[in-house]
Amino acid sequence: MTAPDHRFPCDQCGADLRFSPEDGRLICDHCGHEEPVEGTGPWDAPLAELDYRAALDAALPGAEMQDVRQIKCPNCGAEFELDEATHAAECPFCATPVVTGTGVQRRIKPKGVLPFALSEAEAHKAMTDWLGRLWFAPNGLQAYARKGRRMEGIYVPYWTFDADTKSQYSGARGTIYHESRRVIREGRSETVQIQKIRWTPVSGRVARFFDDVLVLAATSLPKRYTDALEPWDLSLMLPYRPQYLAGFRAEGYTVDLETGFAEARRTMDRVIRRDVMFDIGGDSQRIDRLETQVSAVTFKHVLLPVWLAAYRYRGKTYRFVVNGRSGRVRGERPWSAWKIAIAVVLGLALAAGIGYLAALQQ
């Protein structure tokens, strides 16, 4: 994933090819030449899983590792790539000026990639449409975003985890019943139904195989943004080819594998608790003990496509992200103090007018 691995010269004119989301091919913007992405098609082998324990023990085969040259933003901590001819740029995640200087690091190779399906123009329209629906966004920021400043296409790193789980539990099943009781209300005796719960001790086992539990492997973007871009159709994941990254940037993972699996376990545990509650049944459930054995843990490092815009407006950075497949948009919600003040004044004026009319009618 060093910069030269993402550059593919055109066979006709020598200019750099780029991956076109609209066509799913490599395109030369200089002469119009097109090439397919080599190795793609129905003959692609299924994405291979890697052994989690072997990775923790630094025992993965050398073919699964690579040396990467990345730059780290001093503001948000994002790690991304610059080509060899670029020595300074803006961080695509927070618009902070950065310069080269990060050395080569040993990393786990990507196994899969979801290629971009939306063009930059389509992503930009999705973002400006989303901004246009925010009533209290500053007009200046909306106009600034609509001026056409290009968005950055970024492949964001994720981990996926598979695991086989077997859980034992003990607890209680609650069954709702009612008892009749005589009460005195306003001097009269009435019969009312009192709801109660009868608890019955239970124990049992549940099992579930987890497939492709997705965990964000970077911290440069707020998790609430990336979570809002879901769902991702991982069934359309393709084996990693560097050609898909031609013309785009790739962010390096900053969440290590062990930390990523801890996040995946929290997701698994929530699902297992839901399975146990369903297994207990009844009207209410109580879990007193839950023990889970996890085995056959495997993982993949994958890249998912995100269009990103970072604007500095009146001293503040606003970030917007667009799912490069579905067009879902999330970002920092900007507020205009003037619009809010005008809305408050209009609201007070409307309330005063209604009050005045009501007073006249009285």
Side-chain angles (χ1 to χ4, degrees):
M1 281 177 58
T2 54
D5 294 335
H6 300 166
R7 303 182 68 177
F8 300 90
C10 173
D11 289 339
Q12 292 190 3
C13 70
D16 285 340
L17 299 173
R18 66 171 179 84
F19 177 74
S20 169
E22 305 99 312
D23 306 297
R25 298 166 63 86
L26 293 173
I27 304 293
C28 178
D29 292 325
H30 183 70
C31 70
H33 178 64
E34 298 184 9
E35 294 181 9
V37 176
E38 294 182 4
T40 58
W43 53 85
D44 270 329
L47 300 186
E49 300 283 335
L50 298 178
D51 184 80
Y52 173 69
R53 180 52 55 185
L56 291 187
D57 295 339
L60 287 178
E64 304 298 341
M65 306 299 291
Q66 65 183 355
D67 293 326
V68 296
R69 183 180 295 108
Q70 293 175 321
I71 183 170
K72 185 171 183 177
C73 174
N75 182 41
C76 70
E79 294 190 7
F80 56 95
E81 301 171 36
L82 292 177
D83 60 53
E84 291 181 336
T86 302
H87 301 287
E90 279 189 352
C91 172
F93 296 94
C94 67
T96 299
V98 293
V99 295
T100 58
T102 302
V104 175
Q105 302 176 28
R106 192 74 169 159
R107 295 295 184 92
I108 299 172
K109 283 183 179 179
K111 270 292 183 182
V113 59
L114 267 181
F116 277 88
L118 264 65
S119 67
E120 191 272 340
E122 292 170 324
H124 193 272
K125 183 179 185 303
M127 180 192 67
T128 54
D129 288 348
W130 182 80
L131 272 173
R133 293 192 293 268
L134 302 180
W135 289 0
F136 293 109
N139 290 333
L141 177 60
Q142 292 178 344
Y144 186 51
R146 290 191 179 98
K147 284 180 181 178
R149 180 180 179 182
R150 294 187 61 83
M151 302 183 75
E152 291 274 3
I154 303 285
Y155 280 101
V156 177
Y158 283 79
W159 301 112
T160 70
F161 293 95
D162 294 2
D164 195 23
T165 64
K166 294 179 174 60
S167 304
Q168 295 183 342
Y169 71 86
S170 61
R173 178 189 302 115
T175 303
I176 294 176
Y177 68 98
H178 295 83
E179 288 185 351
S180 298
R181 184 174 298 176
R182 303 288 296 179
V183 298
I184 304 298
R185 289 182 177 172
E186 298 180 354
R188 294 184 299 177
S189 177
E190 296 181 1
T191 300
V192 297
Q193 298 295 314
I194 305 299
Q195 178 176 295
K196 292 189 174 183
I197 297 179
R198 181 181 296 110
W199 292 101
T200 304
V202 295
S203 61
R205 298 179 179 183
V206 296
R208 177 180 283 269
F209 175 75
F210 287 92
D211 181 40
D212 283 347
V213 177
L214 193 64
V215 176
L216 179 66
T219 57
S220 52
L221 290 173
K223 194 172 182 299
R224 65 183 185 277
Y225 292 178
T226 53
D227 286 349
L229 296 183
E230 296 181 4
W232 298 93
D233 190 351
L234 299 183
S235 66
L236 300 178
M237 185 87 64
L238 297 176
Y240 172 76
R241 298 282 187 275
Q243 290 95 328
Y244 292 122
L245 275 61
F248 297 95
R249 287 181 176 173
E251 184 184 9
Y253 62 81
T254 53
V255 174
D256 63 49
L257 188 62
E258 192 169 11
T259 302
F261 183 63
E263 176 68 22
R265 272 301 307 269
R266 287 189 282 271
T267 299
M268 295 177 191
D269 288 344
R270 288 193 293 269
V271 175
I272 291 170
R273 288 188 66 86
R274 185 192 65 192
D275 289 348
V276 169
M277 302 282 270
F278 182 81
D279 197 59
I280 290 175
D283 301 310
S284 298
Q285 303 82 31
R286 189 178 70 223
I287 301 174
D288 298 326
R289 180 183 62 86
L290 177 58
E291 297 176 354
T292 298
Q293 291 184 337
V294 181
S295 61
V297 181
T298 59
F299 75 96
K300 296 187 299 292
H301 172 209
V302 301
L303 302 175
L304 303 184
V306 173
W307 286 104
L308 174 68
Y311 300 113
R312 291 193 68 83
Y313 179 74
R314 293 186 176 178
K316 184 176 179 182
T317 298
Y318 295 92
R319 291 177 295 181
F320 308 101
V321 291
V322 180
N323 183 315
R325 304 282 297 188
S326 67
R328 289 176 65 92
V329 183
R330 280 298 180 271
E332 257 125 348
R333 185 182 182 91
W335 300 95
S336 168
W338 284 105
K339 286 186 177 182
I340 294 173
I342 291 172
V344 170
V345 171
L346 290 176
L348 292 175
L350 180 62
I354 294 173
Y356 177 71
L357 291 175
L360 290 178
Q361 290 178 351
Q362 290 178 355

